[in-house]
Amino acid sequence: MWAVLAIFVATYVLIAARRLHVVPIGRPGAALAGATAMVALSVVSPRWGLSPVEAFAAVEPNTIALLLGMMLLAASLGEAGFFELGTDWLLGRQFSPTALLYVVTLASGILSAFLVNDSVCLLLAPLVDGVARKAGRARAPYLLGLAMGSNAGSALTLAGNPQNMLVAHLSGISYREYLLRAGPSAAAALLTTGAVLHYVFRAELAAPSVPLISSLPRYEVHPSRWRLAVALSCTALVSVLFLAGGNLAWSALGGASLMMLLRGRAPERLFDAVGWTVLLFFGALFIVVAALQKTGVLADALAVAAPLFPTTRAGGLASLGTVLMLGCQVVSNVPFILLAAPWIRGLPDPHFAWIATALFSTLAGNLTLLGSVANIIVIEATSAESDIGFVRYLKVGVPVTIASSVVAGAILLMSTPG
């Protein structure tokens, strides 16, 4: 058991170190090394670790497939010029610095609800960076607005981020039910996120503009009305299938397949745009977490702590939210949900707990720089480490996360009969 714990801790230290640019192994590499070590351990000590069969069975295919489908759709929108058109529209409107912050935050949140937050951040980060620079504004508020808005907005649906996709699979909650029950809370959290960012950066937003560049960095896009119409139509179709109760993974893959058939162009560029390392990262993490889960350490710890949790509905929700906020920072949201799944199923109202888990584990991604892959994507895609380090992010993340979680929790309690 101690060997499993040592491998688990080492894996996450390497992941965190890469994020902080201390050890250059990379997130996917660290996760893959940890997964391989867990399988190797089973050869030495069959009681611990995972056999090759157990390791492959631990990978959750619905989450991986849904991510792949949504990434392909997002890539098709990007190639057809959808995001470039959005950038030009933003510049043409000549928004005030404050209005631009709200537009970036809210737009990234709404797009993430349907296109997955990681994909949206990957596509929009260079564009938002360019808009801020050409407008002569400090880029930190807008990059944080993109990252935090995409995290908060992705809580609107079960297809908005990887952890919600996992919750959908583990709980059996339908896309429509989640949208109706948690949607208002997530929308309020997104608005709160924008308001807190506005307050925190009020001095920077009031400062005079100083143009930094004369042109925007642009993607290599191939504008086409037909391909844009196909991409938008297929994305809308997938959203309709989600609402109709279709299988999330196969609805996304079906929409992506239809898009590739209709677009009239070889799909190599789309496959090149897929975040394969993100898929590898999550696949390997499933294996690492399954090995830790096999030890029963977390389940035992949660069982011991369970009697300490309040029994009232509001107190129980606050306790669940706190556990998720802290656990998701230490282990990351997707693996922590996997580890906590048996405990969540044993709560007095597991159905309500799963809805709250999707909501709070998503908002927890805004607490620290390491809380969400989307945060790291924004920082790395724009080379913004010098502008947004761990400490600066934390100073913004703490008030954003606390405020948005309190607002979302209060609305969830009021809107859900208990």
Side-chain angles (χ1 to χ4, degrees), residues 28-324:
L32 183 60
T36 304
M38 291 298 189
V39 173
L41 179 61
S42 71
V43 177
V44 179
S45 180
R47 182 182 177 186
W48 306 113
L50 296 176
S51 69
V53 174
E54 290 175 319
F56 283 119
V59 178
E60 209 295 285
N62 288 279
T63 301
I64 301 297
L66 179 53
L67 264 176
L68 174 60
M70 298 310 294
M71 284 181 175
L72 285 170
L73 288 170
S76 70
L77 287 169
E79 189 202 35
F82 174 77
F83 296 106
E84 293 285 345
L85 290 173
T87 300
D88 294 339
W89 183 85
L90 283 176
L91 290 173
R93 289 295 179 277
Q94 297 183 337
F95 288 110
S96 69
T98 299
L100 181 61
L101 177 63
Y102 276 103
V103 168
V104 169
T105 303
L106 299 180
S108 65
I110 294 171
L111 285 172
S112 294
F114 302 100
L115 294 176
V116 185
N117 59 344
D118 295 341
S119 297
V120 169
C121 286
L122 188 64
L123 287 165
L124 288 188
L127 300 181
V128 170
D129 185 32
V131 169
R133 286 174 177 272
K134 186 163 186 179
R137 311 305 311 179
R139 60 178 179 163
Y142 302 102
L143 293 180
L144 288 175
L146 171 61
M148 294 183 175
S150 69
N151 285 331
S154 69
L156 280 162
T157 71
L158 285 177
N161 56 62
Q163 62 269 21
N164 280 14
M165 299 173 192
L166 180 60
V167 167
H169 175 68
L170 295 174
S171 66
I173 296 172
S174 71
Y175 185 94
R176 182 195 304 172
E177 180 189 1
Y178 178 82
L179 181 60
L180 291 174
R181 297 187 66 180
S185 299
L190 177 59
L191 290 171
T192 302
T193 298
V196 175
L197 286 170
H198 177 196
Y199 177 78
V200 171
F201 288 111
R202 60 192 183 281
E204 288 91 334
L205 296 173
S209 299
V210 181
L212 299 177
I213 61 175
S214 58
S215 61
L216 287 175
R218 301 177 74 86
Y219 284 106
E220 182 183 352
V221 298
H222 301 270
S224 164
R225 290 184 179 180
W226 170 250
R227 284 194 290 275
L228 181 58
V230 167
L232 288 171
S233 299
C234 290
T235 302
L237 175 62
V238 170
S239 298
V240 171
L241 292 174
F242 287 166
L243 288 169
N247 180 277
L248 296 183
W250 286 106
S251 294
L253 289 176
S257 300
L258 180 62
M259 172 271 297
M260 288 187 287
L261 288 171
L262 295 177
R263 64 195 296 269
R265 188 183 181 93
E268 282 80 3
R269 290 183 182 275
L270 301 185
F271 287 116
D272 288 342
V274 169
W276 297 107
T277 55
V278 174
L279 300 180
L280 172 63
F281 175 63
F282 282 116
L285 271 186
F286 282 126
I287 297 172
V288 174
V289 171
L292 179 63
Q293 192 172 24
K294 188 177 179 180
T295 68
V297 170
L298 183 62
D300 292 342
L302 290 173
V304 170
L308 303 176
F309 294 155
T311 57
T312 63
R313 189 175 178 82
L317 182 63
S319 299
L320 175 61
T322 301
V323 169
L324 289 168

